[in-house]
Amino acid sequence: MTLGSMPHGPSILTRRQLLLLLAATARLEAADEDFWNTKPLSEWNAGDIYRVMNHSPWANPVQWWCPLPSLRSPDERPHSQLGPKGVVTWESAQPIRDALKTPLPRVFANFYVVGVDGVPSGSHSAGYLRRFAALRSNGKPKWSVGASVARELIRNSAVYAFGFPKGAAPIGPDTGDVVFEMELGQWMVQTKFKPKDMLYHGELAL
């Protein structure tokens, strides 16, 4: 059989071609993971906005749970001890404001602002709920601060925003996990934010 008459089979990638393909795929996936740093704001679609607001370094899905002395985390809860689901968002971060295209109320100037939806609040006001919200870091320096101001934001669902004085919560790119937690009656919610991942166009966005 001559070379010209050989049947055409599936092409086989060389090792170098395969490595280049894998590298290109990894770059595309990485770009997609943090599209907010690579995709112009004017090109964000509904799916992009949803991701920023629900699954990003500035937004964590959460579920309220009922603390018990013998159990230390929501993963250990029996189903009957799990409460409403929601999202905790770092409302003062520029990516969140860009996604929403609205400014925060002026009362939040010079505050880190964290928003919570899915709060099992009943008829409680934002001012009442403020007393149960806290932000803390176990790194260096170690600190803990309660919310000073609170407002209910107008969205598709009730979002309670809590303001924490920036001077009492020193956060930099090298700060370890920053924990938001809130305990309301029998219910508690807790989530961690990682400042090292909260970079927006090269700057820490809080």
Side-chain angles (χ1 to χ4, degrees):
M1 181 181 293
T2 65
L3 181 61
S5 63
M6 289 179 66
H8 293 287
S11 60
I12 299 176
L13 295 176
T14 65
R15 183 174 182 273
R16 181 173 181 276
Q17 288 173 324
L18 180 59
L19 290 175
L20 289 173
L21 179 60
L22 291 173
T25 302
R27 286 195 297 270
L28 288 173
E29 290 178 348
D32 182 62
E33 286 178 0
D34 63 348
F35 71 88
W36 43 82
N37 285 322
T38 58
K39 189 175 184 178
L41 177 61
S42 60
E43 296 179 10
W44 288 13
N45 56 38
D48 295 333
I49 292 172
Y50 178 85
R51 282 184 57 191
V52 170
M53 296 298 304
N54 292 273
H55 299 276
S56 73
W58 304 275
N60 296 331
V62 295
Q63 185 165 19
W64 290 79
W65 50 285
C66 182
L68 294 174
S70 60
L71 301 178
R72 296 183 179 181
S73 77
D75 294 336
E76 298 176 347
R77 304 291 108 184
H79 182 73
S80 61
Q81 297 297 325
L82 294 176
K85 293 182 178 180
V87 180
V88 175
T89 47
W90 202 286
E91 292 283 327
S92 53
Q94 194 58 49
I96 297 294
R97 304 326 311 165
D98 286 348
L100 291 172
K101 297 181 173 63
T102 57
L104 281 170
R106 292 182 181 180
V107 70
F108 287 124
N110 299 317
F111 287 88
Y112 292 130
V113 184
V114 177
V116 188
D117 75 352
V119 177
S121 64
S123 59
H124 296 311
S125 66
Y128 173 82
L129 296 174
R130 173 186 64 80
R131 297 180 290 172
F132 307 102
L135 202 62
R136 63 177 171 83
S137 170
N138 293 327
K140 296 182 180 180
K142 184 176 181 179
W143 49 264
S144 179
V145 59
S148 297
V149 294
R151 293 289 187 277
E152 182 177 350
L153 304 180
I154 299 175
R155 295 255 246 284
N156 292 334
S157 59
V159 176
Y160 294 93
F162 304 99
F164 303 90
K166 291 183 178 181
I171 305 174
D174 298 327
T175 301
D177 294 347
V178 175
V179 179
F180 171 83
E181 56 190 7
M182 186 173 178
E183 190 166 354
L184 183 61
Q186 65 175 333
W187 298 110
M188 181 176 185
V189 71
Q190 185 182 89
T191 191
K192 295 178 181 179
F193 291 93
K194 298 179 180 295
K196 68 178 182 179
D197 295 332
M198 300 170 78
L199 300 179
Y200 190 47
H201 302 298
E203 296 185 0
L204 183 62
L206 299 175

